[in-house]
Amino acid sequence: MFSTKWIPASVAGAAILSFAPVAQAQQGGMDQVINETVAPVSNVIAGAIFYSVSFGDVEFPLIVGWLVLAASIFTLYFGFVQFRKFGHAISLVKGDYSDPNDAGEVSHFQALATALSGTVGLGNIAGVAVAISIGGPGATFWMILAGLLGMASKFTECTLGVKFRNEYADGRISGGPMYYLSKGLKEQGKPGLGRVLAVVFSVCCIGGAVGGGNMFQANQAFQQIVNVTGGEQSFFAGNGWLFGLVMAAIVGMVIIGGIKSIAKVTEKIVPFMAVIYVISGLVIIGMNLDHAGDAIYRIFNGAFTGAGVAGGMVGALIQGFKRAAFSNEAGIGSAAIAHSAVRTKEPITEGYVALLEPFIDTVVICTMTAIVITISGELQTDLTGVALTSAAYATAFSWFPIVLALAVVLFAFSTMLSWSYYGLKAWTYLFGEGKGKETVFKAFFCLCVIIGASMNLGPVIDFSDAMIFAMALPNVVGLYFLMPVVKREAAQYWQKIERGEIKRVK
């Protein structure tokens, strides 16, 4: 959104440019033809979706305001559920209430890992660096606040994802915003509106999955591999198609098995990625413990006084909110597709599990990046994006750029897995279920991996980013209509626990 894996070029181009040197060698020819063809449409759509208003010298995308406002409303409406039920969410992920006989395809933990793999990534590495480069360390405070609010959005949309999912005789599940928009609003006597919103969401989801969730990931992973293997002298330089072919083959082997196969991979990759990244950050903080107090002071002080390049307090607030929205995708609706496949007969349980996502993605991992950058002193340099994050970690570990390259590849791979599933479910909603129709989409998705790794796709990526954030427009409208459904589900669930109908299984 770039989500937590990508950052819209129109919003944080500096993060993209930090990967750019290798891409220059691949410009021209077919790249130019595609870019020139797509650019006119891309510019109009991206300009509309990312339309910004000025606050002094700072631009604020209205789509970010749309997401933060929704998160604030859900937080108040559900009585700060993200704080009250945080402990219960942990219990659910641990499987304390799981019944293996419940309908669904994956466990609570697997659903959480799959959804996290679609958000934790490049945005946490490069996007945070861009935010505090512009807004100063104080942007971190507002980023954390927006992440905490976003937990309520995830709670709302993922509860509805399970509530209105389709369960098929062979055990397969299809769910997500397209289903709760169409089925949920139909129950409220608005079938036409629901159908329109569902179709708009599905079209945007497919566009975002193929572009930002696929081609951009392959492109950035390839460029980082080239950068750490010799740059222009690397064997891979100019051979993006070869890297893409290998990546496509690996992705294809996983996604052909559906959500169960994807979940088995992501439940291993996501914790591995997060643990390595967070432990590295904690070690750096530990090595600079005498500066930790100053870093925390700068974060809180900068949140209200401003210490960035632009905008003072307003600039810090905008950059923090922007990074949180682009990172955890709360309100976009994508995560609800993965969570819909969970094994449960109580929709609200997956809402509780899902609220952990923005906490892990934004409050923990993004904050870790921000503190390391602040404490390292690299913020005073001219670096930005992934180059700034890499330099900050390299102050303690000279070999960290290699680890970062591995992280980028794993982040890209896990993002492609998640978004292949998101795009597939939007595809089958529009064109119907069936092995043949699914195979067509999966084959096309793998082809796009090769294209993404071997081409410079500026306008294509701008377009796909706009598609991803456009998903938030129909999704949030539907969430406002369906909030009472979620509140009823919560009330019924806790009544069952009080009556002893729902018990701990371990």
Side-chain angles (χ1 to χ4, degrees):
M1 257 163 314
F2 268 127
S3 97
T4 78
K5 296 266 200 164
W6 52 86
I7 306 145
S10 57
V11 177
I16 305 300
L17 293 176
S18 62
F19 283 99
V22 178
Q24 306 304 318
Q26 301 184 53
Q27 292 183 0
M30 186 60 71
D31 292 41
Q32 185 174 350
V33 172
I34 292 177
N35 285 338
E36 290 179 352
T37 302
V38 174
V41 177
S42 171
N43 291 340
V44 171
I45 294 177
I49 298 300
F50 295 117
Y51 180 80
S52 300
V53 295
S54 298
F55 289 89
D57 297 328
V58 185
E59 297 293 317
F60 183 59
L62 292 183
I63 190 67
V64 174
W66 175 253
L67 291 170
V68 173
L69 175 63
S72 302
I73 290 173
F74 299 141
T75 294
L76 295 173
Y77 184 78
F78 293 111
F80 296 88
V81 63
Q82 60 266 62
F83 305 114
R84 292 188 298 106
K85 302 301 180 183
F86 191 90
H88 188 66
I90 298 294
S91 296
L92 289 167
V93 172
K94 288 166 53 186
D96 291 351
Y97 294 85
S98 297
D99 183 345
N101 297 316
D102 286 343
E105 299 185 78
V106 297
S107 69
H108 285 299
F109 179 76
Q110 288 176 322
L112 178 64
T114 301
L116 272 172
S117 71
T119 57
V120 176
L122 192 58
N124 303 79
I125 297 173
V128 173
V130 172
I132 63 175
S133 294
I134 300 173
T140 308
F141 174 87
W142 299 109
M143 177 182 70
I144 293 171
L145 177 60
L148 292 172
L149 293 174
M151 294 167 71
S153 296
K154 283 288 179 79
F155 164 76
T156 308
E157 61 193 6
C158 292
T159 296
L160 293 170
V162 179
K163 171 70 175 176
F164 292 102
R165 67 187 182 181
N166 283 356
E167 299 176 8
Y168 302 105
D170 61 0
R172 290 182 303 110
I173 299 290
S174 287
M178 49 280 196
Y179 292 94
Y180 62 67
L181 289 171
S182 56
K183 296 166 70 174
L185 293 184
K186 182 179 180 180
E187 288 185 0
Q188 295 187 349
K190 306 176 183 67
L193 175 62
R195 176 65 177 171
V196 169
L197 293 177
V199 169
V200 170
F201 177 89
S202 298
V203 170
C204 293
C205 184
I206 292 171
V210 170
N214 181 341
M215 291 192 288
F216 176 81
Q217 304 302 318
N219 188 273
Q220 298 303 286
F222 168 66
Q223 290 176 27
Q224 186 69 2
I225 287 296
V226 172
N227 287 339
V228 298
T229 56
E232 294 182 1
Q233 307 304 316
S234 171
F235 164 77
F236 291 102
N239 292 314
W241 67 271
L242 180 59
F243 176 86
L245 187 63
V246 173
M247 184 71 85
I250 299 173
V251 169
M253 285 189 292
V254 177
I255 68 175
I256 197 170
I259 185 62
K260 292 182 179 179
S261 177
I262 293 171
K264 286 179 181 178
V265 174
T266 56
E267 74 172 339
K268 296 177 177 64
I269 289 180
V270 172
F272 175 74
M273 293 188 301
V275 167
I276 285 184
Y277 195 75
V278 171
I279 288 179
S280 298
L282 288 174
V283 170
I284 293 177
I285 293 172
M287 294 172 65
N288 297 274
L289 202 56
D290 52 330
H291 299 298
D294 179 63
I296 294 173
Y297 170 78
R298 292 171 65 190
I299 287 172
F300 282 91
N301 185 59
F304 301 99
T305 62
V309 176
M313 173 184 167
V314 174
L317 183 150
I318 289 174
Q319 291 300 325
F321 278 7
K322 187 187 298 183
R323 168 54 12 225
F326 293 158
S327 176
N328 60 50
E329 302 176 18
I332 298 294
S334 53
I337 302 175
H339 284 283
S340 296
V342 72
R343 282 192 297 271
T344 185
K345 57 178 176 288
E346 298 292 340
I348 201 73
T349 59
E350 200 56 22
Y352 292 134
V353 169
L355 64 78
L356 295 174
E357 282 177 42
F359 182 83
I360 296 170
D361 177 275
T362 304
V363 179
V364 176
I365 299 180
C366 285
T367 301
M368 180 66 65
T369 301
I371 292 176
V372 169
I373 292 173
T374 303
I375 213 170
S376 70
E378 293 296 321
L379 191 56
Q380 311 308 317
T381 68
D382 293 329
L383 298 174
T384 189
V386 73
L388 174 56
T389 305
S390 182
Y393 274 82
T395 58
F397 309 109
S398 60
W399 41 263
F400 189 77
I402 297 175
V403 176
L404 187 65
L406 174 63
V408 169
V409 173
L410 289 176
F411 286 154
F413 177 59
S414 64
T415 297
M416 285 189 277
L417 295 183
S418 297
W419 278 91
S420 71
Y421 183 71
Y422 299 162
L424 174 64
K425 288 304 173 182
W427 176 271
T428 55
Y429 176 80
L430 292 175
F431 301 106
E433 302 282 344
K435 288 288 185 181
K437 295 172 183 176
E438 292 184 7
T439 301
V440 169
F441 178 82
K442 291 176 181 178
F444 176 66
F445 191 88
C446 290
L447 175 63
C448 288
V449 176
I450 302 173
I451 296 173
S454 56
M455 302 187 74
N456 181 42
L457 300 161
V460 174
I461 297 305
D462 283 351
F463 173 78
S464 68
D465 288 335
M467 290 293 96
I468 288 170
F469 276 93
M471 291 160 60
L473 299 176
N475 183 52
V476 170
V477 169
L479 295 181
Y480 285 144
F481 280 112
L482 297 171
M483 287 191 303
V485 176
V486 178
K487 181 166 281 190
R488 286 196 300 271
E489 287 291 323
Q492 293 169 6
Y493 175 73
W494 288 104
Q495 287 171 6
K496 290 179 181 179
I497 288 183
E498 290 173 1
R499 293 195 300 264
E501 295 177 28
I502 297 177
K503 300 178 181 179
R504 283 177 175 266
V505 296
K506 65 177 183 180

